[in-house]
Amino acid sequence: MNMLFDWWTAEKGGLSELSDAPRQDPRLPSQGVPHGTYGTCGDVHNLMQPGRCIESISPEQLTPDLVKRLPLEFLKSQCAIPITLEDGTMAVALADPLNIEAYDAIVGILNQPCTRVVCPAAEIEKAISLCYYENGPRHPGDGRVGVESEFNPASDSDDALSSLDASSVQTRAEDLLNVASKAPVVKLANRIFFQAVRSRASDIHIEPYENEARVRFRVDGMLHNVATLDRQQIPALLSRLKIMANLDIAESRLPQDGQSRIKIGDDLVDIRVSVIPTLGGERVMLRLLDRTRAQLSLDQIGFNADVLGSFRRLISMPHGIILLTGPTGSGKTTSLYAALNELNCEERNILTVEDPIEYQLPGIGQMQVKPKIELTFAHCLRHILRQDPDVIMIGEIRDLETAQIAIQASLTGHLVLSTLHTNDSASAVTRLIDMGIEPYLISSSVVAVMAQRLVRVICAQCKVPQGPHDYRMALSESAGGAAGDPLVQGEFYKGIGCENCLNTGYLGRTGIFEQLIVDDRIKTMITQRCDSHVIKRAAVEKGMITLRADGLRKAQAGVTSLEEVFRVTQDSIHANYGVAEHAAY
Ligand SMILES: [Zn+2]
């Protein structure tokens, strides 16, 4: 089993061994001791010796392992945190310099000499959440993704996780710190969530089989086995998850969908829950929606400078259709949102039709498709056009009617952004023709098609040069690769795997792109109903960087590995050429 998930084996006794007893350290003072806090250091300067007052706490001053020996709830309620001063000595930062009780308790637990400093409450709160949550895998600098510390008996980080019933999702995010019920099953569910967020998982799968249930996380697009649960643990866990998502716990024969929201430290995570009945029992998929993804800007999603410049020119056009293509999970939505974030300003009216709305974008009108009440993409779009939009984003063009309205909107002076399920950029044109759109309408409205994929980024902490032998192996094993290709020259890298990256050699993902600009020549080819591979070849002759070529640029820059580029671009090559013709890309 992956070493990242050692915490689970510590709990292998299952639910029965999860203790219900509160983990209150007897040495800690009782919670909620009334004490004042101070907004600025000036207020208390006279109480402290000179130099014992700091305005801020930098991440370098924090030792998360040390901080995590103290219960989160205690640090929060006392507004105190141990830090390292610039001269290397240990200190306890307090918002209230007279809170000697908290100081004594911390010194007692850490069992080492500390001095006292006073610091604004906001800085201390920021530092606490940095240690407890943010300084996890998202900030690999701390080099500690291992979870042992999270789940050792001295730590109370369980309490850092909270969940809300769906009924109260819209109201207030209440920390689970306040949830009285600490049933073992609640703890089990919380552990799963906490661990999933810390390992940057996008999905949690709970899959029952005849004698056991498997828990898997999807991290950077790849599934990892996390744990095996006893069959008898499943009914309680299922009920807990269903209650969280406001689903019918008595219904086990029909699929159900719901949503929930959990709170970890200061972060809210939205969760979409899907339950389906399978032969082994009900199978649960939980998708964790990372809000930070919706806030990415165009220069954070992996564009090379040339493609970025050209994409910025495209989205600044007053009208036309820009299509993004790629399979599910290729990052299309993130790119669309990044484009909308850039376009979002006072002068533009931006409206979207989505299914589902994954993230809320401030300042943008988002409409959710609801086929049950006949609110389809096409229906929504027709109404959106009456709202005087400048920019329209359509989650996906799935049918002829939606495609027709998108084209009509573009021809009447709107910028339309949307996605299509095709493997490469040129196939988008043929897909629209297959749907029944006249080629001349496509050539007069579509201004560009961008295909994209996500490649995993090599972990910086275990990155090593890849020997020539290794990468030639990668080429011969991957369809479409050839050792003599000029694009496959140079130095390449790989991650050998470390604690930091779940032993995968990768940490995080970035986009690779293929941008087909519909110029006059391509327009003519579209109206002549040319095959997509003919169109693609013409675009490459004019300098289009293909998905694979863009990926190879990133591999040469040491961002990702050769294997990764070949893995994610295989289908784009097969889509048009077959292996023999790969050289034309
Ligand atoms: Zn690594």
Side-chain angles (χ1 to χ4, degrees):
M1 181 161 298
N2 199 310
M3 64 180 172
L4 189 88
F5 304 120
D6 284 353
W7 62 276
W8 200 282
T9 44
E11 295 285 356
K12 57 178 171 273
L15 286 177
S16 54
E17 278 187 20
L18 295 171
S19 162
D20 270 330
R23 292 177 185 154
Q24 183 73 37
D25 191 305
R27 285 169 299 180
L28 299 179
S30 60
Q31 312 271 316
V33 178
H35 57 88
T37 53
Y38 296 84
T40 67
C41 287
D43 302 337
V44 290
H45 207 265
N46 55 346
L47 295 171
M48 309 291 292
Q49 299 164 23
R52 291 298 158 87
C53 179
I54 56 171
E55 285 287 355
S56 63
I57 301 173
S58 70
E60 295 76 46
Q61 290 178 282
L62 298 170
T63 315
D65 289 352
L66 201 66
V67 175
K68 286 172 190 166
R69 284 165 61 188
L70 302 153
L72 171 65
E73 192 178 5
F74 169 72
L75 294 178
K76 275 176 146 180
S77 65
Q78 303 297 321
C79 207
I81 188 170
I83 60 170
T84 311
L85 295 178
E86 275 165 12
D87 61 4
T89 56
M90 285 299 300
V92 177
L94 295 156
D96 174 6
L98 302 180
N99 187 2
I100 308 295
E101 263 186 317
Y103 169 76
D104 285 346
I106 292 173
V107 173
I109 290 178
L110 297 182
N111 198 18
Q112 52 180 297
C114 293
T115 59
R116 247 187 315 157
V117 294
V118 66
C119 177
E123 278 296 314
I124 295 178
E125 282 162 11
K126 214 167 73 190
I128 293 172
S129 74
L130 200 66
C131 286
Y132 257 93
Y133 175 52
E134 288 178 8
N135 214 0
R138 289 184 190 174
H139 296 263
D142 118 23
R144 186 175 185 86
V145 192
V147 215
E148 313 84 45
S149 63
E150 303 319 313
F151 294 100
N152 76 34
S155 147
D156 209 12
S157 58
D158 225 19
D159 289 346
L161 181 90
S162 58
S163 110
L164 295 171
D165 288 346
S167 53
S168 59
V169 159
Q170 300 304 328
T171 52
R172 202 170 67 88
E174 192 189 355
D175 222 309
L176 244 208
L177 298 171
N178 305 326
V179 174
S181 156
K182 280 289 168 82
V185 64
V186 175
K187 288 189 171 183
L188 177 65
N190 287 358
R191 269 153 214 252
I192 294 174
F193 284 129
F194 191 85
Q195 182 51 29
V197 171
R198 282 201 70 100
S199 15
R200 299 177 303 110
S202 58
D203 305 271
I204 303 169
H205 297 255
I206 299 167
E207 308 158 7
Y209 297 100
E210 198 178 349
N211 300 314
E212 57 189 31
R214 182 166 67 168
V215 180
R216 292 196 289 178
F217 290 171
R218 191 179 289 280
V219 181
D220 292 337
M222 297 296 212
L223 281 169
H224 298 271
N225 269 335
V226 181
T228 306
L229 302 177
D230 284 346
R231 197 70 179 77
Q232 74 245 31
Q233 290 176 270
I234 298 307
L237 182 61
L238 254 171
S239 300
R240 168 67 190 159
L241 296 173
K242 282 181 175 176
I243 289 168
M244 281 178 65
N246 213 16
L247 300 177
D248 180 356
I249 56 168
E251 178 60 75
S252 60
R253 298 157 307 163
L254 294 173
Q256 296 190 70
D257 292 316
Q259 49 191 322
S260 186
R261 177 178 285 181
I262 55 167
K263 186 169 187 255
I264 295 180
D266 291 332
D267 261 15
L268 287 169
V269 182
D270 286 313
I271 299 180
R272 276 214 310 270
V273 182
S274 157
V275 183
I276 57 164
T278 65
L279 198 59
E282 284 178 284
R283 190 175 166 126
V284 187
M285 207 283 285
L286 304 133
R287 170 147 297 167
L288 310 180
L289 301 173
D290 179 1
R291 291 167 162 231
T292 54
R293 265 184 47 199
Q295 293 150 11
L296 292 180
S297 66
L298 282 179
D299 24 53
Q300 291 172 308
I301 57 176
F303 277 127
N304 266 41
D306 48 352
V307 186
L308 174 62
S310 135
F311 190 69
R312 284 212 157 110
R313 277 194 298 281
L314 287 168
I315 60 168
S316 63
M317 292 170 59
H319 55 87
I321 300 179
I322 299 168
L323 292 171
L324 269 67
T325 75
T328 308
S330 57
K332 300 187 297 277
T333 310
T334 307
S335 300
L336 280 180
Y337 281 8
L340 293 181
N341 283 338
E342 179 139 327
L343 291 169
N344 193 4
C345 66
E346 198 185 318
E347 297 86 42
R348 281 196 191 93
N349 184 14
I350 305 179
L351 291 167
T352 75
V353 196
E354 299 170 66
D355 184 27
I357 295 174
E358 286 194 20
Y359 310 99
Q360 288 181 27
L361 303 171
I364 293 176
Q366 295 171 278
M367 228 176 144
Q368 165 77 54
V369 169
K370 287 177 186 148
K372 274 185 193 161
I373 52 167
E374 304 207 337
L375 206 54
T376 60
F377 269 110
H379 194 159
C380 291
L381 264 178
R382 251 185 246 113
H383 287 276
I384 274 182
L385 282 172
R386 292 177 202 151
Q387 293 263 332
D388 180 34
D390 299 294
V391 179
I392 302 167
M393 191 271 261
I394 307 167
E396 190 187 336
I397 296 180
R398 291 179 192 160
D399 53 68
L400 175 63
E401 201 181 359
T402 309
Q404 283 168 334
I405 303 173
I407 287 172
Q408 185 198 336
S410 146
L411 296 176
T412 51
H414 305 91
L415 181 69
V416 180
L417 306 176
S418 189
T419 72
L420 265 181
H421 262 278
T422 60
N423 284 329
D424 71 349
S425 55
S427 324
V429 173
T430 33
R431 172 63 53 87
L432 288 173
I433 294 176
D434 290 345
M435 277 181 184
I437 301 284
E438 286 297 325
Y440 75 92
L441 285 174
I442 300 170
S443 62
S444 52
S445 58
V446 177
V447 292
V449 185
M450 191 167 75
Q452 90 165 80
R453 296 288 187 282
L454 293 174
V455 288
R456 289 179 291 165
V457 173
I458 299 174
C459 167
Q461 298 203 2
C462 59
K463 182 165 152 180
V464 293
Q466 195 173 17
H469 172 71
D470 282 351
Y471 77 74
R472 239 174 258 137
M473 286 284 287
L475 293 180
S476 57
E477 281 168 16
S478 310
D485 200 297
L487 279 167
V488 196
Q489 305 294 324
E491 187 77 50
F492 295 97
Y493 297 85
K494 65 176 179 183
I496 50 173
C498 67
E499 197 179 331
N500 191 38
C501 56
L502 324 191
N503 262 339
T504 58
Y506 298 100
L507 193 76
R509 287 190 290 177
T510 191
I512 58 171
F513 304 92
E514 167 179 301
Q515 204 175 70
L516 176 80
I517 310 282
V518 182
D519 58 14
D520 289 341
R521 184 169 171 213
I522 305 285
K523 278 182 187 172
T524 316
M525 297 177 95
I526 294 172
T527 34
Q528 289 168 351
R529 294 179 185 258
C530 286
D531 263 5
S532 60
H533 73 267
V534 179
I535 294 175
K536 185 170 186 176
R537 191 162 296 172
V540 169
E541 279 165 17
K542 281 203 81 175
M544 179 177 85
I545 311 278
T546 61
L547 268 179
R548 180 163 285 183
D550 194 39
L552 289 172
R553 292 202 291 188
K554 287 212 164 61
Q556 278 164 336
V559 174
T560 187
S561 69
L562 267 184
E563 285 91 340
E564 187 66 3
V565 173
F566 285 113
R567 181 179 72 82
V568 304
T569 56
Q570 261 187 55
D571 54 353
S572 75
I573 301 292
H574 286 170
N576 285 314
Y577 303 112
V579 179
E581 286 188 84
H582 81 282
Y585 286 148

